[in-house]
Amino acid sequence: MQSTERNRFSFIPATGGEQQAMLQKIGLQFDDIVKCFAGNSCVEGGLQLPDGLTEDQMVEYWDTMMSRNSGPRKASLLGAGAYMHFIPAVVPHLASLPGFVTAYTPYQPEISQGTLQSLFEFQSFMVELTDMELANCSMYDGASSTAEAMLMAHRVKKADRVLVAATVNPNYLATVRTYLKPRGIAVDVVRMDGDGRVSMEDLELKLSASACSAVLVQSPNYLGIIEDLGAIGTAVHGHDALFVESFTEAMALGLLKYGVGTGADVVIGEGQSLGLSMSFGGPHLGVFATLKKYNREFPGRIVGESIDTKGRQAFVMTLRAREQDIRREKATSNICSNHALNALTAAVYLGSVGESGFRALACENVAKLQKLVSGLEATGHFTRVFKQSPVFNEAVLASSIAPEDMRSRLAGVPVFPPLALAGGVVPEVQGMPHTYLVCATEMLKDSILGQVLGALS
Amino acid sequence: MTLFEKSVAGRSAFSFGFEEDRAVAERYVPEFARAAVKPLPQVAELDLVRHFTNLATMNYGVDTGFYPLGSCTMKYNPKINERMAADPRLTVRHPLDNATDNQGILQMEFELKECLQEITGMDDFTLQPACGAHGELAGMLIIHAYMRDHDAKRTKVLIPDSAHGTNPASATMAGFQVVTVPSNERGGVDMDALDKLMDDTVAAIMLTNPNTVGLFEENITQIAELVHARGGLLYYDGANLNALMGLIRPGDLGFDVVHLNLHKTFSTPHGGGGPGAAPVGVKKFLADYLPIPVVVCRDGQYALDENRPHTIGRMSGFYGNTAVLARAYVYIKMMGRDGLLATSRAAVINANYVKALLSPYFPPAYDRPVMHETVLSAKGYDKYGVTLLDIAKRLMDYGYHPPTIYFPHFPPYAEEVMMVEPTESESKETMDSFCDALIKISQEAKENPDLLLSAPHDTVVTRVNETYAARHLVTSHRDKKGT
């Protein structure tokens, strides 16, 4: 075989000779094809980008860049919407199988049963964990899922006003505002009570004031406190609004009650804790679960069980008439691609830890936080705010240590420092002017906890 | 059989150094909040591994074979992307940690932003949107906010009939009224219709260029002049940017806002339906409207800027799909200026090659050179009693993923059309074999239509009954138990 010039680009197989042969078959030169650009200004002299790197150069470049991040972390005192949990090796292994990774949306069910069945299993997990009747096969993240829940409530109830608890994660609240503002839907914030929970008094007041489409409550809330969802649900259903329960820490689903038992119409949240890494913010996993009576109104894709022509079990996307590719401007949402691979990852994770393991993890998170809080209180520099309120794996602590001091004291400990809350979020404690939202998960082993307490004593 | 049905009580793949401690729950979690046992599958680790490994084999992916799904740009996903994105220095980073402790990640994001600015000719970018439709929403919210500040009577958005369904859906979500613009006989925007519709109540026009028929919008300069002269803005749907890199830039064509699908043009894997990422670029006068925070560089230090006085707000909980952005970044760095140009060139040649091979059997509606994809008609096969769907299903027996079918659905495409996009990733012999298969199927349609009507035969399931799924709605294991 005669030797020819080697291709410069390993992701483009066609050789120069082959491209010439193809152009011959086409009957045009490349310049003839791009004549359609007509008088438009083409890129003169090419893009001002560097020459491409080879794979080994890329690895070196990447390595230098990533070494500018600070050292490895073994646990996190920082939560507030993203959580550091242990990810069993089997999870990324199975979620990286190329059959899953390199497939498109399963429009052709006969050759997409792997994706479809995995998503059906994810939906099944979500139905059980949220105790709802129907779960879609994912949204982008907890915040966008929350905003979509508000829009769905508006479709159902039509009132141009929603109530949002002040204790909802502020980034979620901001996302809700972004989505609702151009639609002219008002966002009314329900005050927090002295225990760091939704003020039932203010809720009743605002529910009675005028019609609203939804009431959004997060539990555990932004301050880590477990809300009495059942009591809130009862209050909401005295009025004509949908009760939307949300969570940012999916690990709480192992222990806490959500869904029909607490009067929810929609349960939404962030599924990152289910085997997904934090990855500096994404991609994470939006969970969206609701009741069957809203099966024409919810956003996003859903997989249903069916049969093939031989009567065998087969899965397929269903309830498609709500979606943008069919309904265009009348669709329930514009969402097309979602976070399917992350939904599959969550299904693998839940399959891995199993029924009792998931409960064990939830309990361990509660125990670790209690251990951290009592350890910090014992140093004399910290005291819990809202002492009487139940928490899951986050709590608010007042402290005499300023944020800069906190960071430098923890500099030698392999943990992410806790979130310093802005002034005015929680009531001030005499002599302890700084407040932190502190998180503990199963990652906070005793040896690391010892180092944390040593540094802060 | 689902994982739930494979469950055996007492089995477990759980390997942590602690056991369930009910006492903790009873002590610290109030009774009103405690849930009953949630019935999840109980399987051993090998059960789990075999279950999902077998499911993965029941899927067709780019790594399996040719995936000519028009408008989806199913190009090869380089493996180095995956390795870099799995780096614990990226995956084990908390998004609310200090910027000073995450300079490497922020540098990567900033450099990606700079590359995208250069490739598109835009002035600033947000990396926050999670997917194409999310990017469209962000872009249209930016236009909505800008018009509210400058010309509030502009409440309509013009969208060609050839557009993806996400365009009208996104414009509606952003608070606009959608007005459809018809296409002309050459597959582009009908200029007379545009002239009539473009009045002082129109905020913007959303265009995909090349459009969903794979054709470059010939009148783009005139469209831009007309829309701008009458006070409107131009939105660029970057779904088809793969045809244009290094050749022509949306920013130079007059577009004011663009979104890019990194999971299309920039090689990040589609994952069976996401996650993707869709950075949104704007011209300078709109930069203050970008969602917060925006990655910036000041005196060599990278930071997240929250100070954008006119910002539309937040689009998500944090700053976007960092691990997806990382894959696209690696791709761009490795392709470089010449590689990106070679990519678009190869994508265009490949699409025209497939068109040339298939035209005698499946004629294109417009006899014009195409860009990165071609729309071909399967009209006339109904006389043998077969539809395009049957042809598509039969392709699976030959080992191919079918092209996009029955899209775009606008005149003259109201009938049986398929949209083929080979991408630059495919070799000549792969396209030759694929075209041979389609040509053979066109013969089978005449000689043995039953072969097509009952296709596919060689897949793990045969045709799936969509009506049955909708009528007997079973969307979870709990539903199955109930029936």
Side-chain angles (χ1 to χ4, degrees):
Chain A
M1 197 180 256
Q2 80 179 74
S3 115
T4 50
E5 199 188 337
R6 193 164 62 86
N7 264 4
R8 274 175 68 205
F9 307 109
S10 48
F11 309 143
I12 305 172
T15 63
E18 285 176 315
Q19 288 196 332
Q20 271 315 311
M22 288 194 268
L23 285 164
Q24 215 151 32
K25 175 72 189 172
I26 296 164
L28 293 169
Q29 284 309 304
F30 184 73
D31 288 346
D32 299 327
I33 298 174
V34 294
K35 262 191 192 145
C36 56
F37 292 170
N40 290 302
S41 48
C42 292
V43 181
E44 297 273 343
L47 294 171
Q48 299 304 302
L49 292 176
D51 287 335
L53 302 178
T54 59
E55 185 167 320
D56 57 331
Q57 289 167 340
M58 184 69 230
V59 170
E60 201 187 326
Y61 188 92
W62 177 269
D63 192 57
T64 307
M65 194 166 65
M66 285 304 139
S67 64
R68 298 189 64 196
N69 295 338
S70 57
R73 303 283 188 252
K74 291 181 177 165
S76 183
L77 307 181
L78 182 54
Y83 301 91
M84 189 168 167
H85 292 290
F86 186 80
I87 301 174
V90 72
V91 177
H93 171 82
L94 292 174
S96 314
L97 292 172
F100 295 133
V101 174
T102 69
Y104 196 71
T105 300
Y107 288 123
Q108 300 289 347
E110 298 84 356
I111 48 175
S112 310
Q113 286 297 302
T115 292
L116 287 162
Q117 183 172 331
S118 308
L119 294 177
F120 179 88
E121 292 176 4
F122 167 76
Q123 292 167 191
S124 301
F125 276 115
M126 293 306 113
V127 163
E128 297 300 347
L129 294 186
T130 60
D131 195 17
M132 294 300 274
E133 296 171 353
L134 185 109
N136 74 12
C137 70
S138 81
M139 307 295 282
Y140 311 130
D141 69 352
S144 65
S145 205
T146 306
E148 288 271 15
M150 298 294 102
L151 289 177
M152 181 185 115
H154 183 254
R155 281 193 292 283
V156 172
K157 294 296 181 189
K158 311 275 193 294
D160 289 334
R161 176 172 172 257
V162 297
L163 300 184
V164 178
T167 50
V168 163
N169 182 303
N171 286 0
Y172 285 41
L173 175 56
T175 307
V176 167
R177 287 190 194 280
T178 304
Y179 273 62
L180 299 194
K181 189 175 179 185
R183 305 287 286 271
I185 305 167
V187 178
D188 221 343
V189 175
V190 180
R191 284 214 304 272
M192 180 176 85
D193 71 9
D195 292 327
R197 291 188 289 197
V198 171
S199 159
M200 294 304 285
E201 202 182 331
D202 195 44
L203 175 64
E204 279 293 354
L205 203 73
K206 288 194 163 116
L207 276 168
S208 307
S210 66
C212 69
S213 287
V215 175
L216 170 67
V217 175
Q218 177 185 323
S219 179
N221 66 25
Y222 183 60
L223 307 175
I225 295 164
I226 300 167
E227 298 273 3
D228 189 349
L229 294 176
I232 298 168
T234 305
V236 174
H237 288 297
H239 302 265
D240 192 27
L242 297 195
F243 181 33
V244 181
E245 299 177 352
S246 88
F247 57 89
T248 59
E249 171 50 297
M251 201 57 80
L253 299 171
L255 202 52
L256 305 186
K257 195 190 289 180
Y258 296 86
V260 290
T262 51
D265 294 288
V266 187
V267 179
I268 38 120
E270 174 54 63
Q272 177 260 320
S273 292
L274 307 175
L276 296 158
S277 61
M278 298 183 291
S279 291
F280 205 65
H284 292 172
L285 172 63
V287 173
F288 196 111
T290 186
L291 303 173
K292 282 189 176 164
K293 63 178 168 184
Y294 302 122
N295 72 18
R296 308 282 168 206
E297 299 293 346
F298 73 94
R301 293 190 173 128
I302 193 163
V303 173
E305 193 192 61
S306 187
I307 48 170
D308 74 357
T309 55
K310 294 180 178 163
R312 293 173 296 193
Q313 181 192 54
F315 297 92
V316 66
M317 292 196 288
T318 192
L319 298 173
R320 297 261 298 125
R322 304 160 294 109
E323 290 191 50
Q324 48 75 29
D325 54 331
I326 296 172
R327 292 294 298 274
R328 299 178 78 84
E329 65 270 18
K330 294 187 180 67
T332 57
S333 168
N334 68 339
I335 191 166
C336 181
S337 286
N338 43 63
H339 280 191
L341 190 64
N342 290 2
L344 183 148
T345 309
V348 177
Y349 175 83
L350 287 165
S352 163
V353 298
E355 185 176 293
S356 60
F358 194 49
R359 281 202 310 275
L361 273 159
C363 290
E364 181 72 2
N365 273 260
V366 173
K368 284 292 184 195
L369 179 76
Q370 294 297 333
K371 215 166 172 176
L372 172 65
V373 169
S374 48
L376 288 172
E377 286 190 319
T379 66
H381 301 305
F382 293 87
T383 184
R384 239 199 95 189
V385 186
F386 312 120
K387 270 191 173 40
Q388 303 311 311
S389 303
V391 287
F392 182 69
N393 66 358
E394 288 180 275
V396 177
L397 274 74
S399 175
S400 54
I401 302 174
E404 314 80 63
D405 194 17
M406 172 75 83
R407 293 196 78 82
S408 60
R409 281 168 181 243
L410 287 175
V413 185
V415 295
F416 292 106
L419 184 76
L421 291 174
V425 176
V426 299
E428 228 173 277
V429 174
Q430 191 70 33
M432 294 198 176
H434 310 289
T435 48
Y436 295 93
L437 179 61
V438 176
C439 177
T441 72
E442 76 281 2
M443 302 294 280
L444 191 64
K445 303 293 179 203
D446 287 347
S447 59
I448 304 172
L449 177 59
Q451 291 181 57
V452 169
L453 297 178
L456 297 177
S457 284
Chain B
M1 202 193 272
T2 67
L3 199 62
F4 286 75
E5 291 155 305
K6 291 176 180 172
S7 178
V8 175
R11 252 187 218 173
S12 169
F14 180 79
S15 179
F16 288 82
F18 49 83
E19 290 300 324
E20 181 182 349
D21 188 349
R22 285 311 282 178
V24 166
E26 272 158 33
R27 178 160 172 209
Y28 295 111
V29 176
E31 200 171 352
F32 71 77
R34 283 204 298 272
V37 170
K38 296 172 175 180
L40 307 188
Q42 303 176 56
V43 295
E45 186 162 316
L46 183 57
D47 298 332
L48 190 76
V49 169
R50 292 217 174 120
H51 180 73
F52 282 102
T53 303
N54 284 319
L55 284 179
T57 66
M58 292 161 70
N59 249 14
Y60 192 96
V62 173
D63 284 8
T64 318
F66 190 35
Y67 217 125
L69 204 59
S71 115
C72 301
T73 315
M74 292 299 281
K75 63 168 68 180
Y76 172 63
N77 314 125
K79 301 314 164 200
I80 184 67
N81 295 357
E82 300 305 307
R83 194 204 278 187
M84 299 296 97
D87 186 338
R89 291 172 295 182
L90 187 155
T91 58
V92 192
R93 297 307 308 185
H94 196 290
L96 298 177
D97 192 26
N98 258 10
T100 49
D101 287 315
N102 296 281
Q103 287 294 297
I105 294 180
L106 292 172
Q107 180 187 344
M108 180 273 288
E109 295 197 337
F110 187 78
E111 287 185 10
L112 173 63
K113 220 175 84 157
E114 287 189 311
C115 292
L116 297 177
Q117 282 163 205
E118 174 60 19
I119 293 166
T120 57
M122 304 305 283
D123 297 321
D124 205 350
F125 260 91
T126 171
L127 303 174
Q128 206 173 129
C131 257
H134 205 215
E136 290 175 24
L137 177 60
M140 294 315 288
L141 286 170
I142 288 168
I143 293 174
H144 192 271
Y146 174 81
M147 286 302 177
R148 200 181 42 230
D149 289 350
H150 293 86
D151 200 352
K153 67 179 176 303
R154 295 185 182 267
T155 55
K156 293 183 198 155
V157 167
L158 304 182
I159 299 176
D161 51 9
S162 59
H164 292 118
T166 48
N167 285 185
S170 301
T172 305
M173 272 178 94
F176 288 111
Q177 185 195 333
V178 171
V179 179
T180 303
V181 187
S183 299
N184 66 19
E185 70 287 350
R186 283 182 59 77
V189 169
D190 183 327
M191 293 302 288
D192 291 337
L194 178 66
D195 186 36
K196 286 197 192 82
L197 293 170
M198 187 59 226
D199 61 26
D200 65 0
T201 64
V202 172
I205 181 165
M206 292 179 91
L207 290 176
T208 310
N209 191 17
N211 65 16
T212 56
V213 198
L215 298 173
F216 188 82
E217 188 57 69
E218 300 169 301
N219 296 320
I220 185 62
T221 307
Q222 293 90 310
I223 294 171
E225 278 167 9
L226 179 75
V227 171
H228 281 153
R230 297 191 193 166
L233 299 179
L234 275 87
Y235 183 94
Y236 181 80
D237 178 330
N240 296 339
L241 184 75
N242 203 42
L244 302 185
M245 289 185 293
L247 291 168
I248 204 161
R249 309 193 302 175
D252 298 339
L253 292 172
F255 286 97
D256 302 292
V257 184
V258 313
H259 90 259
L260 305 175
N261 303 67
L262 299 189
H263 44 293
K264 295 184 177 180
T265 308
F266 298 101
S267 86
T268 78
H270 204 280
V280 171
V282 294
K283 290 282 175 64
K284 206 171 212 131
F285 72 99
L286 293 171
D288 269 355
Y289 290 87
L290 287 174
I292 51 166
V294 181
V295 187
V296 293
C297 182
R298 291 181 187 125
D299 308 325
Q301 280 291 107
Y302 300 98
L304 289 163
D305 178 18
E306 304 240 354
N307 182 26
R308 299 264 161 161
H310 297 288
T311 179
I312 58 164
R314 279 178 189 274
M315 290 299 293
S316 63
F318 299 108
Y319 333 114
N321 291 344
T322 312
V324 179
L325 300 172
R327 290 173 172 92
Y329 171 80
V330 170
Y331 176 76
I332 292 170
K333 290 296 284 185
M334 285 189 63
M335 297 312 289
R337 47 173 279 161
D338 295 344
L340 293 176
L341 178 64
T343 294
S344 289
R345 194 170 182 276
V348 170
I349 293 173
N350 284 1
N352 281 284
Y353 181 62
V354 168
K355 174 170 167 274
L357 293 183
L358 291 175
S359 287
Y361 310 88
F362 302 95
Y366 300 113
D367 195 17
R368 285 172 58 187
V370 294
M371 298 302 290
H372 64 299
E373 66 190 1
T374 179
V375 174
L376 303 169
S377 169
K379 203 174 165 183
Y381 287 85
D382 54 342
K383 64 175 171 284
Y384 311 116
V386 302
T387 64
L388 174 61
L389 182 71
D390 304 318
I391 293 170
K393 297 295 183 191
R394 180 66 179 148
L395 261 174
M396 297 176 190
D397 288 335
Y398 284 90
Y400 299 103
H401 194 286
T404 299
I405 52 173
Y406 301 107
F407 183 83
H409 27 66
F410 68 96
Y413 297 110
E415 12 79 20
E416 317 252 298
V417 291
M418 58 182 155
M419 188 195 277
V420 185
E421 180 179 12
T423 83
E424 75 282 2
S425 305
E426 299 301 334
S427 66
K428 181 171 174 295
E429 62 268 25
T430 299
M431 291 184 287
D432 288 342
S433 310
F434 168 76
C435 293
D436 284 348
L438 256 180
I439 293 164
K440 202 160 167 216
I441 292 168
S442 75
Q443 289 300 319
E444 289 174 350
K446 293 169 199 161
E447 291 152 12
N448 190 0
D450 281 346
L451 259 184
L452 279 65
L453 292 170
S454 53
H457 308 91
D458 304 334
T459 46
V460 288
V461 294
T462 55
R463 275 190 221 191
V464 183
N465 191 329
E466 291 182 22
T467 316
Y468 182 95
R471 293 227 175 109
H472 307 78
L473 199 60
V474 173
T475 62
S476 70
H477 179 65
R478 194 184 276 192
D479 288 344
K480 280 169 73 96
K481 282 189 300 182
T483 52

